[in-house]
Amino acid sequence: MPRVPTYDSFQVTPGALPSSRQTTIASPELFDAGAKQAVTTGENLLKAGGDLNDVAVKMQERENADRIFRSKTAVDNDYIPFITSIRERRGRNAIGATREAAKWWDDQISKQSAALENDVQRGIFQQKMAKLRTQSLANISAYESDQRRQSLVDSTQASIVGSINVAAASPNDPATLASAKSDIEKETQALAQINGWSSELYAAKKSEYMTNLHKQVFQSMIDTDPAGARAYYEANKDEIAGSARDVFEKQIATSTRRRTVQSFGDAVIGDNMSETDALALAHKQFSGEDEDAAVREVRSRFADIRTARDQDQREANDQGWHIYAQTGKVDAIPASVLTRMDGRSVIALRNEAERQALGKQVQTDPGVYYDLSQKAANDPQGFEQLDLRNYFDKLAPAQRRHFMDMQQKLKEPAEVDSIATLTQQLDAMHNELGWDAANRADKGKFDAAVYSAIDAEQSRLGRKLNYDETQKIIHRMA
């Protein structure tokens, strides 16, 4: 007979409530899946906590690195101008650079360390800076040492130069010369030790310095005492480099020759010789290079005399013409002035006075006009120096003013070119007209007429004529 179950037959074991994700407890598979999910979820939570901690650590490391790099960059930026200033110091100015650099690094490291946020940053930063500091100080120390050595070399070389100058200032003092030579030898030995010279290099340098010493002393004597300079050279020749001896000997020969020809020049001037006679005597008395030098001396002496005479004549001419203009009388000019005046100027002055007395006007000599025009174009500097009063007896007042104005115009480079160009145009027309050297007067008349027409046209227009306008006037006058 079938049995009906009762309440007592159910044995229920108390347990945890099913997961909210569990739909039923009737299926064992679903129960296992829910348990695994719960375990996985727990592990993920634990792992997430660890990841967050790692992230925090990494973030702090990045922050530390950022701050350290920024501090290092700040030091680097300040280091560039600092090391540049160190490298610009030369010789004794570089002394103390290593000590200054050490203090600079200490100050920079201390300054940047104080600005960092934690000890980790400070430790890493100081470690990096310590390495850079050591490298920098090593380089600066080497630079300072090299500059100290260079300073010693420079001061020793300066002392050698000083010894040479002292000896050159007292070329006739044997004691000073001996002292200078001794000092130079000691200073050269010092340079050899400093620079580590070989014995051969030391000998070459010593010869170089001694040669310079003797050269300076020799130069102090050669112009005023050629004989003494020769004796000095012979006494010290063994200490002079062989390559330099030829220079000394040539200077002795040149100086001796110069003194000889100067004495010759003094003699011919003192004897009131003419230039022709003086030149003849120079050719007779000398030969070779001495003869050439004597001829140059004579020509130079007489050129100086002519220059002085011309200047004196110009001044006398000015005085004579000025007195005549004031008095109207040639006799009013003192004889001391007349004798100094140029002969042509005296003749022109007397002719002018005679014409004035007779009431006659000077007529322009076309040949003289042409010659003066050619000189103005071809030798502007020489034309400027001409005393035009010497030609007043050959030039009418209008032509006198023309050439006097031209002398003033030739002081300007543009006018020099303008006058040369106009002369070329006139010469071309002379050729076209078939005129040669025999037609000097015809050329003068034609040129005077052209210049007069050009002056009139320029006055009418109030400006200077151009090339084409000038050419039209030349064709019209032809």
Side-chain angles (χ1 to χ4, degrees):
M1 172 174 210
R3 186 182 175 183
V4 177
T6 65
Y7 178 79
D8 292 335
S9 64
F10 288 94
Q11 299 295 324
V12 181
T13 303
L17 293 174
S19 170
S20 60
R21 295 177 61 87
Q22 187 174 337
T23 57
T24 176
I25 61 171
S27 170
E29 292 80 1
L30 291 176
F31 177 79
D32 292 341
K36 291 178 180 179
Q37 180 68 32
V39 172
T40 301
T41 299
E43 291 175 349
N44 288 338
L45 289 174
L46 291 174
K47 186 174 183 298
D51 289 343
L52 289 173
N53 189 42
D54 291 344
V55 169
V57 170
K58 291 178 179 179
M59 290 178 64
Q60 183 60 50
E61 290 177 349
R62 285 196 294 269
E63 178 64 20
N64 288 345
D66 179 60
R67 291 304 303 270
I68 291 168
F69 288 144
R70 280 191 286 166
S71 295
K72 178 180 178 301
T73 300
V75 175
D76 290 343
N77 290 339
D78 289 343
Y79 182 71
I80 293 173
F82 172 74
I83 191 61
T84 299
S85 68
I86 292 293
R87 296 291 182 184
E88 290 174 349
R89 292 159 61 172
R90 297 288 187 270
R92 291 191 58 81
N93 290 331
I95 294 176
T98 306
R99 182 178 63 255
E100 294 173 24
K103 183 178 183 303
W104 184 90
W105 275 107
D106 292 343
D107 291 345
Q108 288 289 321
I109 293 172
S110 176
K111 173 185 173 181
Q112 296 299 330
S113 294
L116 294 174
E117 297 175 341
N118 55 57
D119 290 340
V120 173
Q121 294 176 5
R122 294 186 186 93
I124 297 174
F125 173 74
Q126 291 175 2
Q127 183 180 5
K128 286 182 174 292
M129 290 299 102
K131 182 177 180 181
L132 294 176
R133 179 183 184 277
T134 300
Q135 294 172 344
S136 171
L137 293 182
N139 291 334
I140 293 175
S141 177
Y143 177 76
E144 180 181 349
S145 176
D146 182 66
Q147 290 304 308
R148 283 175 179 268
R149 184 192 67 80
Q150 187 60 48
S151 175
L152 181 57
V153 169
D154 292 342
S155 62
T156 305
Q157 290 178 332
S159 180
I160 292 174
V161 173
S163 298
I164 292 174
N165 291 337
V166 168
S170 304
N172 297 315
D173 185 352
T176 300
L177 177 62
S179 177
K181 291 167 67 172
S182 176
D183 290 343
I184 290 173
E185 185 171 0
K186 294 175 183 178
E187 288 155 351
T188 306
Q189 290 175 349
L191 285 176
Q193 293 176 353
I194 296 169
N195 295 313
W197 291 345
S198 64
S199 58
E200 292 80 8
L201 182 56
Y202 164 73
K205 285 293 184 180
K206 179 182 175 181
S207 176
E208 175 186 338
Y209 296 139
M210 287 298 183
T211 298
N212 287 337
L213 166 68
H214 295 309
K215 183 182 297 183
Q216 293 297 325
V217 175
F218 179 83
Q219 291 294 340
S220 299
M221 303 173 67
I222 189 65
D223 290 332
T224 58
D225 185 12
R230 177 187 291 276
Y232 177 87
Y233 169 71
E234 294 296 337
N236 296 278
K237 183 164 57 175
D238 292 342
E239 293 180 340
I240 297 174
S243 58
R245 292 178 187 175
D246 185 55
V247 175
F248 282 75
E249 292 170 0
K250 285 183 178 179
Q251 287 185 320
I252 290 172
T254 300
S255 180
T256 302
R257 180 181 301 116
R258 181 169 59 250
R259 293 295 294 270
T260 300
V261 298
Q262 285 176 345
S263 297
F264 175 76
D266 293 340
V268 297
I269 296 300
D271 292 342
N272 292 319
M273 284 189 182
S274 67
E275 184 174 2
T276 301
D277 291 341
L279 289 173
L281 183 59
H283 290 302
K284 179 181 179 181
Q285 187 169 327
F286 300 99
S287 62
E289 293 184 9
D290 290 344
E291 179 182 354
D292 294 338
V295 169
R296 287 194 299 269
E297 181 70 14
V298 169
R299 287 175 176 169
S300 175
R301 292 292 186 99
F302 280 91
D304 290 342
I305 292 173
R306 283 192 295 273
T307 299
R309 184 185 61 218
D310 291 346
Q311 180 63 32
D312 183 65
Q313 283 182 345
R314 180 179 286 272
E315 292 176 357
N317 290 344
D318 290 341
Q319 293 177 19
W321 279 93
H322 178 73
I323 292 171
Y324 173 75
Q326 295 293 322
T327 64
K329 298 179 179 179
V330 175
D331 293 342
I333 302 174
S336 59
V337 175
L338 280 173
T339 56
R340 289 166 46 222
M341 290 176 64
D342 179 84
R344 291 176 302 172
S345 186
V346 173
I347 294 172
L349 183 61
R350 293 190 183 281
N351 290 340
E352 180 71 13
E354 183 179 345
R355 281 189 297 271
Q356 291 292 332
L358 297 175
K360 294 181 178 180
Q361 295 295 326
V362 176
Q363 299 297 317
T364 297
D365 183 327
V368 171
Y369 186 98
Y370 177 74
D371 292 341
L372 290 174
S373 297
Q374 289 293 306
K375 188 170 185 63
N378 300 321
D379 181 18
Q381 188 173 6
F383 178 79
E384 267 192 85
Q385 302 302 318
L386 283 180
D387 188 345
L388 292 175
R389 288 169 301 198
N390 293 339
Y391 302 92
F392 276 9
D393 60 333
K394 303 293 184 182
L395 298 173
Q399 278 66 53
R400 296 175 188 175
R401 289 193 298 272
H402 167 74
F403 286 115
M404 292 171 69
D405 290 344
M406 188 175 287
Q407 280 186 326
Q408 294 301 314
K409 289 179 180 179
L410 286 173
K411 297 181 185 300
E412 299 294 330
E415 289 294 337
V416 174
D417 293 339
S418 176
I419 292 173
T421 299
L422 178 54
T423 301
Q424 290 174 356
Q425 291 176 280
L426 290 169
D427 287 344
M429 181 55 69
H430 298 163
N431 293 332
E432 189 174 334
L433 293 172
W435 289 340
D436 55 20
N439 300 103
R440 176 168 157 268
D442 293 326
K443 293 177 182 179
K445 290 179 183 178
F446 180 77
D447 292 355
V450 170
Y451 268 110
S452 178
I454 290 174
D455 289 342
E457 185 66 7
Q458 288 182 155
S459 297
R460 185 182 71 80
L461 297 176
R463 63 174 176 80
K464 190 175 181 63
L465 300 185
N466 60 35
Y467 181 92
D468 292 336
E469 291 169 333
T470 300
Q471 192 65 41
K472 288 181 180 178
I473 290 179
I474 291 174
H475 278 290
R476 186 173 76 246
M477 299 307 294

